[in-house]
Amino acid sequence: MPPLTSYRPSDPPDSPVHDSDSDVDLDLEELDPSTSSHVQASRLLGKSHNPEQRAPRIALRNIRMGGLRRSGNRGRGYGELGRNRDGSNDAVGLLEDDSQGQRYSNGSRNDGDEAPLLDDYGPRPQRRSFASDRLQNLAHIGSSLRLPSFMSSTSANQQDDDGIDNREDDPSTSRIIAVGSLQPTRYPPNLISNAKYTAFTFLPITLYNEFSFFFNMYFLLVALSQAIPALRIGYLSTYIAPLAFVLVITMGKEAYDDIERRRRDNEANSEEYVVLRFGDSEHQTTTVRPPRNLKSTSARKVDRQPLAQRDRLSDIQEEEEQTEGQGQNYLSSSIQEVSKKSRDLKVGDVLKLSKGQRVPADVVILKCATPEGIHAQIQTPERVKSESLLDNPSQDGTSYNDASSSSGKTNNPGSGTSHASESTSSGETFIRTDQLDGETDWKLRLASPLTQALPAEELVRVRVTGGKPDKKVNEFVGKVEVMSTRYDHFNGQSDESSLGDEGHTAALSIDNTAWANTIIASQATTMAVIVYTGPQTRSALSTSLSRSKTGLLEYEINSLTKILCALTLALSIVLVALEGFGNTEGNIWYVKIMRFLVLFSTIVPISLRVNLDLGKSVYSWFIQRDPGIPGAVVRTSTIPEDLGRIEYLLSDKTGTLTQNEMEMKKIHVGTVSYANEAMDEVVGYIRHGFAGTPSNRTFVTPSSSYSTTAGVTATRTRREIGSRVRDVVLALALCHNVTPTIEEENGRTITSYQASSPDEIAIVRWTESVGLRLAHRDRKKMVLESTETGKIVVQVQILDIFPFTSDGKRMGIIVQFHEQSTSPPLGLDSGEIWFYQKGADTVMGSIVVANDWLDEETANMAREGLRTLVVGRKRLSSGQYQDFLTNYQEASLAISGRDAGMQRVIAEFLEHDLELLGVTGVEDKLQRDVKPSLELLRNAGIKIWMLTGDKVETARCVAVSSKLVARGQYIYTVAKLKHKDNARDHLDFLRSKTDSCLLIDGESLTLYLTHFRVEFISIAVRLPTVVACRCSPTQKADIAKLIKDFTKKRVCCIGDGGNDVSMIQAADVGVGIVGKEGRQASLAADFSIEQFCHLTKLLVWHGRNSYKRSAKLAQFVIHRGLIIAVCQTMYSIAIKFEPEGLYKDWLLVGYATVYTAAPVLSLVLDKDVDENLANLYPELYKELTSGRSLSYRTFFVWVFVSIYQGGMIQGLSQILTEVDGPRMVAVSYTVLVLNELLMVAIEITTWHPVMIMCIVGTFLVYIGSMPFLGGYYDLDFLLSWGFLWRVLAISSISLVPPYAGKLIRRTMKPPSYRKVQGI
């Protein structure tokens, strides 16, 4: 017999066979080519990979005796065990990756060498059945087939014992975490931070941002030029003070915004959590063997000293004695519950989480304990999906109810038995992930059976290995190990050191984790160890850094400023050239040009930034004080004008458009439809159908006929309808994955429901409302009771569940009805067996029997925006079910094509000729006023995209029900596009039909963004509506950036969940909704609101006002600077081109501040239409996106007006008084101030009391200050009539023509807002 046979364990004949082509085999061959044949043989012979049921010390023996077990070492004795240690490393690596040993260690081996080693083991933990072991093996197939490098013995993490302390974390490598202990590696703190700056970066970043704008840099250079005596004109403070004022205002606003962000972050970081603190056990010092350092592989290679034979054998004997000795009877630690703030949590801390708590960091779940008295176990599609592959019933007809079989066949919800140590819990908990990935379904998460079986005091012996930090929220690969003692975690960093000590290892997958910002949704108390903190969590890695946002208006003004600067330079050169470059007296020509540049610096007004920033603060104040949008918060006050320029709106679905609250609205049973008040008839049918039974110990079954019309005299038609209604309600009450839970609130007992899908809860709530309540459910049975009488009317045993999948779009259940209230388990022949199934009409249409109403009714419900489910049933004989069971088991054990084979069996034996019972319509409740809000935004010219992480069918229903898709609009669906061959065909169709709505899933979107990026976005941006589902947070952000880059238009993103943060931050304007899902999106957004409908007012009203006001304000400030520059030019020409200032010192400073600032700033209160008209005519908003309020055209109109008025004011002042002197200055300056005040009045559309006060008050202030201007004016001249008539005449000539031109233009071509006002 070849040597391979000596390794054949006495495994059960149905032990799973593993695919020899898997990545595991490849890894093992790379680790140990010489033993690959042994590995493959052991795989084919059914060697298991799940170690939690092994005897405690088998793995240690396997490592130490591994050298003897190979054919090449058969001749060696035990005495040579310690020699050639390096040569045995491959065995250690092999056993490491192959789950360290044999599962079924029943002592029977063919090889004589192994027999004495395996026979004299100490007491072993109780083993579960072969089927149960195989279940635990296969349940982790998805995560354990591809083992990462950190699970092999050649891991890069191997280090000497001396090098494990005080290491900085390397985020590119995997990590080993000692549960409940201090970690040798420093990991980042668990801090949430949406702040843009730190104390060190604030000044450099803000200064860079300020001086990256051209006009700030221009004024900095002008101010610095005043340090040169030859260029100095007037006071130095005249140029320094305005620039400093602008910087202080802007930086102060940025600092305030950032401090507010930090304050909000601090609230989240201060959230309290219960942490388990592990102390020393009171017996530990006397009974537990002190830790013995096992050197790592690298240490062995350095030492290379063979151990003495006696030492190695005595080690083995010592460990065997220790296993059997009393030291194992004591707990490894004592536990104390302490409270920690979220910011103080560290990697390795064990959290105790309860229902409703936010998970503060990425954790691996160790234990789940159900509250006492709640024994109902939860069955969900995710759980069943993994379990349905593993069906292992026994072959006889009644064994599905047998105890040993039920522990193995866990696709049967009635079959999941747990260890004795977890009698009240199965290690399951639900989490809500909508803050992370946008999916509304609850997710089932499992504690590893290895740690679930441990007492909490023993968790300190657990070591968790995880991969490097990653932003993939749906992937995780790791492992968990139970060490001998709590001190063995880091004795050797090699994985084999842990194997050599204990060997209890289990694989970890995404099912064993809960990421930061998910919510614990079930009643179970969950104990979890923190694996990743702060910036290394999945949610943080999926979130882009906060960035400083700059409004489009800022960029437009920056461009205009460059034109003004060029104008200034040209004017300076022209004035010097007119005098002649060689004719300069006293100064060199280029010095005169520089002096002219300083004189004309008012053309680029430093006060522009001050006025705009103050305006932004006023707009923010208006938004936050608006009673129409209560709770609104402006977090970024630099971009309110962009609210009026939005052309693309990217919206999340869950919690943004919908409330994520499902309600059953309609049911159709073939001949009649029930909705709204008609549901009362259903209640009557159910009351009579389940009311009377001959005995309290008799239950209703589908074939029961005596109670269908109990107590009523009914026609045949009514009896038939009553029977159909009863059947469909019974089917809906049984065909689901909902579990009832009992909660205590204020002394009252409240029953709530838990499920992975809110649709199912809505249906079960509906069945309760019509009279049939789900009273109890566990893995074995379901109990229904009448809501009227409170008596149990239906009891079923659950035989099989076939979960809902995105591919299958249906779920089914096989149940056996109890006819009597009998305690012993049913046999297959003792009760009716029924197969119920519900699913999408697209797949159920071919499964149910032929009918003539299904398609029509589902189409009708879909048009109403309801989510439809078709319900059917089929009765099975015991023989039919047994045939199905046998074939299903065979398919579940196939090596390749397992899923397809199992589905084939279900289709062959179950999914055909089902009796069609009815169709249900479930409504996903929309947020308040979503429909009119979307319609108004569409009419405003905004293209709306809905980006969601939810399913395709759900997204379609919400798009229809919310009127995001107009009635009759064609929805073109692109889903599951894996190859780029036919991708262009879809694009060609969309190119020819640009009025359709595109519905695309994340997989297809990724393909387009990878291979057809430009073609796809060029077509998509032309469509009125795009719905993208199954989008990751990163994809949402990529789409926002792509639209921005391609169209150069303003993009607004709105969402309410943590999965929307990246999208919100990538947008030009990010809006967060504060809702029941949390505040993370709101904290990261630029604007925070409480309802989606508030967005319309934010854009159409506040956005319009902010943009129009800022555009008018900016142009008026530019006009104010230009007019004084023109006056300076006229004066310089008159005094023979000398660069001397016309208005010096206070006159120059006072003009831009005291004498004109308040009236000009009062323009921020102006409005062209009232709010009702803005909402009534949203088309007015469309005009704003073209940017006509501030364009090159309007800019040059203002330049022309400024040149005219400046020329008239200064020219006439010089002609009517004198060329140079205090009289000319008095007339010129007075007319200039009066001109600006009256120009503000001319520009106002809607008067406000504050505006009147500002204009009149400023005029009085100027009149009052005249007596104090004797240094500049001739005060005697001011009191003469000559001064007065000159001022009035020049002002009239300056103001009348521009005002007349405005009136003529308004009459000939009135603006849109005047048309709707009827003025």
Side-chain angles (χ1 to χ4, degrees):
M1 183 179 292
L4 275 177
T5 58
S6 63
Y7 294 88
R8 183 186 299 273
S10 58
D11 288 349
D14 57 353
S15 187
V17 184
H18 295 274
D19 187 359
S20 61
D21 293 328
S22 69
D23 292 337
V24 180
D25 290 316
L26 296 176
D27 287 344
L28 296 180
E29 289 175 16
E30 291 168 4
L31 290 171
D32 188 12
S34 64
T35 58
S36 61
S37 60
H38 160 65
V39 177
Q40 293 179 7
S42 63
R43 298 284 170 88
L44 293 171
L45 292 170
K47 185 179 291 186
S48 175
H49 293 260
N50 195 10
E52 66 265 23
Q53 305 302 326
R54 285 196 311 275
R57 301 292 171 183
I58 293 180
L60 178 60
R61 282 192 184 280
N62 287 345
I63 289 176
R64 295 176 177 169
M65 297 302 183
L68 292 175
R69 294 180 180 173
R70 284 194 209 91
S71 57
N73 292 330
R74 285 296 173 196
R76 296 174 58 200
Y78 293 133
E80 298 174 66
L81 192 63
R83 301 176 188 173
N84 192 21
R85 294 184 66 196
D86 292 338
S88 65
N89 286 343
D90 54 352
V92 180
L94 171 62
L95 291 163
E96 168 80 6
D97 276 345
D98 203 18
S99 295
Q100 309 96 27
Q102 315 289 339
R103 176 183 303 273
Y104 305 109
S105 50
N106 57 3
S108 58
R109 296 287 187 273
N110 294 333
D111 183 52
D113 288 341
E114 292 188 9
L117 291 174
L118 297 173
D119 286 341
D120 58 1
Y121 270 25
R124 304 177 182 134
Q126 181 181 0
R127 284 191 296 111
R128 290 188 288 184
S129 68
F130 292 150
S132 176
D133 288 336
R134 187 177 67 257
L135 162 69
Q136 297 298 334
N137 180 20
L138 289 176
H140 295 291
I141 271 181
S143 60
S144 62
L145 280 182
R146 187 175 296 276
L147 300 180
S149 59
F150 62 80
M151 297 180 74
S152 71
S153 61
T154 57
S155 172
N157 291 336
Q158 296 174 355
Q159 297 184 14
D160 287 338
D161 299 339
D162 299 336
I164 66 172
D165 293 329
N166 299 320
R167 287 176 295 147
E168 289 293 339
D169 171 45
D170 180 2
S172 64
T173 61
S174 56
R175 57 183 59 186
I176 296 176
I177 295 146
V179 173
S181 305
L182 291 176
Q183 309 302 313
T185 303
R186 284 194 294 271
Y187 296 107
N190 191 47
L191 288 171
I192 294 174
S193 179
N194 288 300
K196 295 179 182 178
Y197 314 104
T198 66
F200 300 104
T201 62
F202 176 74
L203 274 177
I205 293 178
T206 50
L207 288 175
Y208 172 79
N209 289 337
E210 287 305 304
F211 290 117
S212 62
F213 282 97
F214 178 79
F215 55 84
N216 280 354
M217 180 59 71
Y218 175 82
F219 268 98
L220 178 64
L221 295 175
V222 169
L224 293 176
S225 72
Q226 296 303 289
I228 304 171
L231 301 179
R232 183 172 298 168
I233 299 173
Y235 297 147
L236 180 63
S237 59
T238 304
Y239 301 93
I240 297 293
L243 179 64
F245 181 70
V246 168
L247 293 179
V248 168
I249 291 291
T250 307
M251 293 171 66
K253 196 150 56 64
E254 280 290 306
Y256 175 77
D257 288 346
D258 212 50
I259 289 169
E260 284 296 296
R261 287 190 198 94
R262 287 186 176 277
R263 183 184 61 78
R264 293 187 294 269
D265 290 342
N266 191 53
E267 292 177 6
N269 291 326
S270 300
E271 206 171 336
E272 298 277 347
Y273 289 90
V274 176
V275 176
L276 302 186
R277 179 180 290 169
F278 296 90
D280 290 335
S281 172
E282 59 185 46
H283 301 285
Q284 192 165 342
T285 55
T286 58
T287 60
V288 176
R289 174 171 57 87
R292 181 178 66 257
N293 290 339
L294 291 178
K295 292 187 177 181
S296 64
T297 305
S298 57
R300 292 176 184 172
K301 291 183 179 179
V302 173
D303 295 344
R304 296 198 176 230
Q305 295 177 357
L307 299 175
Q309 302 172 17
R310 185 193 63 78
D311 290 343
R312 298 296 287 137
L313 290 174
S314 64
D315 282 350
I316 298 173
Q317 293 169 0
E318 182 183 352
E319 289 193 16
E320 291 297 331
E321 293 168 1
Q322 196 68 34
T323 303
E324 298 170 1
Q326 62 181 353
Q328 296 293 322
N329 296 328
Y330 293 114
L331 299 173
S332 297
S333 66
S334 60
I335 288 181
Q336 179 184 3
E337 291 186 2
V338 296
S339 181
K340 275 190 179 184
K341 293 182 177 179
S342 177
R343 68 163 72 92
D344 299 326
L345 298 175
K346 295 179 174 58
V347 171
D349 283 353
V350 178
L351 299 174
K352 185 177 180 182
L353 301 169
S354 55
K355 182 178 180 180
Q357 276 194 294
R358 178 184 72 90
V359 180
D362 289 357
V363 300
V364 167
I365 296 172
L366 301 176
K367 282 179 72 70
C368 299
T370 306
E372 197 166 351
I374 300 177
H375 302 292
Q377 302 301 329
I378 304 161
Q379 186 71 13
T380 68
E382 290 89 343
R383 176 66 171 162
V384 180
K385 180 178 179 181
S386 62
E387 294 171 346
S388 62
L389 306 177
L390 314 168
D391 189 76
N392 181 35
S394 300
Q395 297 300 317
D396 76 89
T398 60
S399 64
Y400 69 91
N401 206 27
D402 181 72
S404 64
S405 177
S406 73
S407 68
K409 182 176 169 287
T410 57
N411 72 314
N412 175 355
S415 60
T417 62
S418 56
H419 292 282
S421 63
E422 47 179 313
S423 57
T424 62
S425 176
S426 56
E428 300 174 355
T429 189
F430 278 108
I431 62 172
R432 294 205 319 266
T433 63
D434 41 4
Q435 288 287 296
L436 190 66
D437 56 19
E439 295 190 22
T440 58
D441 294 356
W442 288 8
K443 306 292 190 306
L444 179 70
R445 291 294 185 257
L446 309 167
S448 170
L450 195 61
T451 55
Q452 178 68 23
L454 291 174
E457 291 81 3
E458 296 295 331
L459 293 178
V460 75
R461 292 196 292 125
V462 173
R463 182 170 85 173
V464 173
T465 305
K468 65 181 181 181
D470 195 342
K471 65 180 179 182
K472 297 177 181 175
V473 296
N474 294 318
E475 292 182 20
F476 177 74
V477 183
K479 65 175 179 178
V480 60
E481 301 163 274
V482 178
M483 317 302 289
S484 293
T485 72
R486 63 184 297 181
Y487 304 105
D488 289 343
H489 294 297
F490 299 105
N491 285 342
Q493 289 301 299
S494 162
D495 288 340
E496 65 174 328
S497 66
S498 67
L499 274 175
D501 217 304
E502 182 67 17
H504 281 225
T505 306
L508 295 175
S509 70
I510 186 67
D511 293 332
N512 309 115
T513 64
W515 301 140
N517 296 318
T518 57
I519 307 293
I520 301 296
S522 57
Q523 294 293 322
T525 298
T526 304
M527 296 181 191
V529 60
I530 296 176
V531 183
Y532 307 108
T533 51
Q536 295 183 346
T537 59
R538 288 323 200 247
S539 63
L541 291 172
S542 298
T543 303
S544 56
L545 295 174
S546 298
R547 63 183 181 91
S548 297
K549 294 183 179 180
T550 305
L552 183 59
L553 191 76
E554 300 272 3
Y555 290 115
E556 292 171 343
I557 292 173
N558 202 38
S559 301
L560 299 179
T561 308
K562 293 175 183 177
I563 297 175
L564 292 173
C565 185
L567 184 64
T568 305
L569 181 61
L571 193 57
S572 303
I573 295 173
V574 166
L575 290 177
V576 175
L578 288 174
E579 184 186 4
F581 291 107
N583 299 327
T584 56
E585 296 178 6
N587 282 322
I588 307 172
W589 64 270
Y590 56 80
V591 175
K592 295 185 74 170
I593 290 177
M594 294 296 295
R595 285 177 64 86
F596 272 124
L597 282 173
V598 174
L599 280 173
F600 295 146
S601 61
T602 55
I603 290 180
V604 186
I606 186 66
S607 58
L608 179 59
R609 284 304 303 276
V610 179
N611 282 278
L612 286 177
D613 286 346
L614 290 175
K616 294 174 193 292
S617 299
V618 172
Y619 309 148
S620 301
W621 190 86
F622 283 149
I623 292 172
Q624 295 184 141
R625 300 298 188 281
D626 189 338
I629 39 178
V633 179
V634 179
R635 306 200 191 281
T636 305
S637 55
T638 56
I639 56 171
E641 298 93 354
D642 274 10
L643 291 170
R645 309 287 294 278
I646 301 301
E647 292 193 50
Y648 290 91
L649 175 65
L650 276 56
S651 172
D652 179 40
K653 178 188 72 69
T654 308
T656 304
L657 297 178
T658 69
Q659 300 180 34
N660 195 26
E661 291 182 6
M662 308 297 174
E663 183 181 0
M664 179 91 156
K665 301 292 284 187
K666 199 171 188 178
I667 185 166
H668 196 288
V669 294
T671 55
V672 64
S673 176
Y674 297 97
N676 304 322
E677 293 79 10
M679 291 294 183
D680 294 339
E681 292 187 38
V682 178
V683 175
Y685 286 130
I686 297 304
R687 182 187 301 117
H688 298 306
F690 291 92
T693 55
S695 165
N696 287 338
R697 298 179 57 84
T698 304
F699 298 135
V700 176
T701 67
S703 59
S704 302
S705 58
Y706 52 82
S707 61
T708 303
T709 57
V712 297
T713 304
T715 63
R716 178 179 176 183
T717 302
R718 185 168 176 81
R719 284 198 302 271
E720 289 177 356
I721 293 175
S723 177
R724 292 182 68 84
V725 169
R726 188 197 70 162
D727 290 341
V728 73
V729 171
L730 180 60
L732 292 171
L734 294 174
C735 187
H736 53 72
N737 280 300
V738 179
T739 301
T741 59
I742 299 172
E743 301 177 22
E744 291 284 339
E745 281 189 16
N746 301 325
R748 293 182 302 150
T749 301
I750 298 175
T751 301
S752 60
Y753 296 109
Q754 290 183 348
S756 63
S757 170
D759 296 60
E760 298 218 298
I761 294 180
I763 291 175
V764 172
R765 287 193 186 282
W766 177 80
T767 62
E768 180 180 2
S769 70
V770 296
L772 205 56
R773 178 191 296 125
L774 177 63
H776 173 76
R777 180 194 181 127
D778 57 26
R779 295 182 177 231
K780 298 178 182 180
K781 66 180 180 180
M782 264 190 284
V783 175
L784 306 180
E785 65 182 22
S786 169
T787 55
E788 185 181 24
T789 63
K791 294 180 180 179
I792 295 175
V793 291
V794 176
Q795 182 171 325
V796 298
Q797 180 130 347
I798 302 172
L799 305 184
D800 285 284
I801 283 187
F802 312 104
F804 178 90
T805 63
S806 56
D807 293 330
K809 300 179 183 177
R810 58 193 182 275
M811 70 87 59
I813 186 171
I814 300 178
V815 295
Q816 185 176 20
F817 284 84
H818 288 249
E819 296 179 0
Q820 302 287 331
S821 178
T822 54
S823 53
L826 294 174
L828 279 181
D829 296 324
S830 58
E832 298 177 23
I833 299 175
W834 286 83
F835 169 59
Y836 289 101
Q837 190 167 48
K838 66 181 180 187
D841 58 292
T842 52
V843 294
M844 292 294 290
S846 59
I847 294 175
V848 298
V849 294
N851 62 88
D852 57 358
W853 59 270
L854 178 60
D855 292 341
E856 181 182 354
E857 286 304 321
T858 53
N860 289 339
M861 289 188 185
R863 275 192 289 273
E864 296 175 30
L866 301 178
R867 301 160 73 152
T868 57
L869 285 174
V870 178
V871 188
R873 69 174 182 177
K874 182 177 186 177
R875 183 168 183 174
L876 304 175
S877 66
S878 59
Q880 287 175 321
Y881 177 67
Q882 189 59 57
D883 290 344
F884 160 75
L885 213 55
T886 304
N887 286 275
Y888 194 65
Q889 175 197 359
E890 291 176 3
S892 68
L893 298 179
I895 296 175
S896 60
R898 179 185 287 116
D899 289 347
M902 294 167 68
Q903 185 54 48
R904 208 163 32 245
V905 173
I906 295 173
E908 178 184 350
F909 287 89
L910 302 177
E911 292 183 341
H912 60 85
D913 298 331
L914 265 66
E915 178 189 353
L916 176 58
L917 296 177
V919 180
T920 64
V922 176
E923 180 188 47
D924 189 353
K925 288 185 181 177
L926 297 174
Q927 294 276 7
R928 179 170 61 90
D929 292 337
V930 160
K931 294 180 184 179
S933 298
L934 289 174
E935 183 180 4
L936 187 146
L937 293 172
R938 258 203 314 272
N939 292 336
I942 298 174
K943 293 183 172 65
I944 304 171
W945 291 38
M946 185 172 79
L947 311 179
T948 176
D950 225 324
K951 298 185 283 290
V952 176
E953 294 80 7
T954 308
R956 179 194 295 270
C957 286
V958 172
V960 172
S961 62
S962 65
K963 298 295 186 287
L964 181 64
V965 176
R967 181 179 292 274
Q969 186 176 2
Y970 180 67
I971 301 177
Y972 187 72
T973 305
V974 180
K976 301 193 182 309
L977 197 62
K978 296 182 173 61
H979 306 290
K980 59 181 181 178
D981 302 337
N982 60 342
R984 286 190 183 277
D985 297 339
H986 296 297
L987 293 179
D988 292 339
F989 176 87
L990 290 170
R991 194 178 285 113
S992 64
K993 196 171 177 62
T994 54
D995 59 342
S996 60
C997 166
L998 171 63
L999 177 62
I1000 187 169
D1001 67 352
E1003 185 179 4
S1004 307
L1005 186 62
T1006 301
L1007 187 141
Y1008 277 116
L1009 295 183
T1010 304
H1011 299 289
F1012 306 101
R1013 194 177 186 87
V1014 176
E1015 297 98 313
F1016 172 76
I1017 199 66
S1018 64
I1019 296 170
V1021 294
R1022 289 158 50 195
L1023 301 174
T1025 305
V1026 176
V1027 178
C1029 33
R1030 291 297 184 191
C1031 281
S1032 66
T1034 309
Q1035 276 182 322
K1036 292 183 177 184
D1038 287 344
I1039 292 172
K1041 292 174 186 172
L1042 194 58
I1043 296 175
K1044 278 169 50 182
D1045 296 341
F1046 182 81
T1047 64
K1048 308 300 181 189
K1049 306 292 186 182
R1050 297 283 98 177
V1051 176
C1052 173
C1053 293
I1054 181 169
D1056 74 317
N1059 60 310
D1060 303 317
V1061 170
S1062 293
M1063 173 179 74
I1064 286 171
Q1065 292 180 336
D1068 296 303
V1069 177
V1071 181
I1073 292 181
V1074 182
K1076 59 185 179 182
E1077 308 302 342
R1079 297 187 303 159
Q1080 191 178 1
S1082 154
L1083 293 177
D1086 305 308
F1087 301 90
S1088 172
I1089 56 178
E1090 293 184 348
Q1091 293 280 338
F1092 181 84
C1093 60
H1094 294 165
L1095 181 67
T1096 57
K1097 188 169 188 181
L1098 193 65
L1099 299 184
V1100 173
W1101 176 239
H1102 290 289
R1104 175 185 186 82
N1105 287 340
S1106 299
Y1107 171 60
K1108 297 278 282 189
R1109 289 164 175 173
S1110 283
K1112 184 178 289 188
L1113 182 64
Q1115 292 176 119
F1116 209 92
V1117 172
I1118 291 172
H1119 159 74
R1120 188 177 64 182
L1122 265 173
I1123 193 170
I1124 197 172
V1126 172
C1127 292
Q1128 175 68 51
T1129 305
M1130 298 291 291
Y1131 175 70
S1132 296
I1133 293 172
I1135 60 171
K1136 299 181 181 180
F1137 307 103
E1138 285 301 316
E1140 294 299 327
L1142 169 60
Y1143 310 122
K1144 295 180 181 178
D1145 306 334
W1146 168 249
L1147 293 183
L1148 194 60
V1149 174
Y1151 173 73
T1153 54
V1154 177
Y1155 300 142
T1156 61
V1160 171
L1161 189 59
S1162 71
L1163 287 171
V1164 301
L1165 301 174
D1166 193 19
K1167 57 183 180 183
D1168 55 358
V1169 295
D1170 61 23
E1171 185 180 344
N1172 291 332
L1173 278 176
N1175 288 323
L1176 188 60
Y1177 299 100
E1179 293 78 10
L1180 290 172
Y1181 184 88
K1182 197 181 301 185
E1183 293 183 348
L1184 304 180
T1185 58
S1186 61
R1188 293 177 185 171
S1189 297
L1190 178 63
S1191 61
Y1192 288 116
R1193 178 180 167 278
T1194 59
F1195 168 71
F1196 284 112
V1197 167
W1198 276 101
V1199 169
F1200 176 76
V1201 171
S1202 302
I1203 293 173
Y1204 168 77
Q1205 291 185 332
M1208 289 296 104
I1209 291 171
Q1210 186 61 27
L1212 292 175
S1213 296
Q1214 291 174 176
I1215 292 171
L1216 296 178
T1217 54
E1218 56 191 355
V1219 172
D1220 188 11
R1223 291 189 174 190
M1224 182 275 296
V1225 172
V1227 172
S1228 171
Y1229 194 80
T1230 303
V1231 173
L1232 190 64
V1233 171
L1234 193 59
N1235 182 82
E1236 287 305 294
L1237 296 180
L1238 292 175
M1239 282 295 290
V1240 169
I1242 290 172
E1243 285 300 311
I1244 291 173
T1245 307
T1246 306
W1247 283 89
H1248 190 282
V1250 174
M1251 295 174 174
I1252 299 172
M1253 289 170 55
C1254 286
I1255 294 174
V1256 175
T1258 300
F1259 178 72
L1260 294 176
V1261 167
Y1262 176 68
I1263 298 297
S1265 67
M1266 278 184 169
F1268 304 98
L1269 301 177
Y1272 310 102
Y1273 295 171
D1274 180 350
L1275 296 181
D1276 294 334
F1277 177 67
L1278 295 180
L1279 300 175
S1280 66
W1281 283 105
F1283 171 76
L1284 186 59
W1285 75 260
R1286 286 178 176 88
V1287 168
L1288 293 175
I1290 296 172
S1291 297
S1292 301
I1293 294 171
S1294 170
L1295 287 166
V1296 170
Y1299 183 63
K1302 183 177 181 180
L1303 289 177
I1304 293 170
R1305 182 177 178 276
R1306 185 181 292 176
T1307 305
M1308 300 296 292
K1309 189 181 178 182
S1312 299
Y1313 70 85
R1314 298 192 77 82
K1315 293 178 184 176
V1316 299
Q1317 286 175 331
I1319 299 174

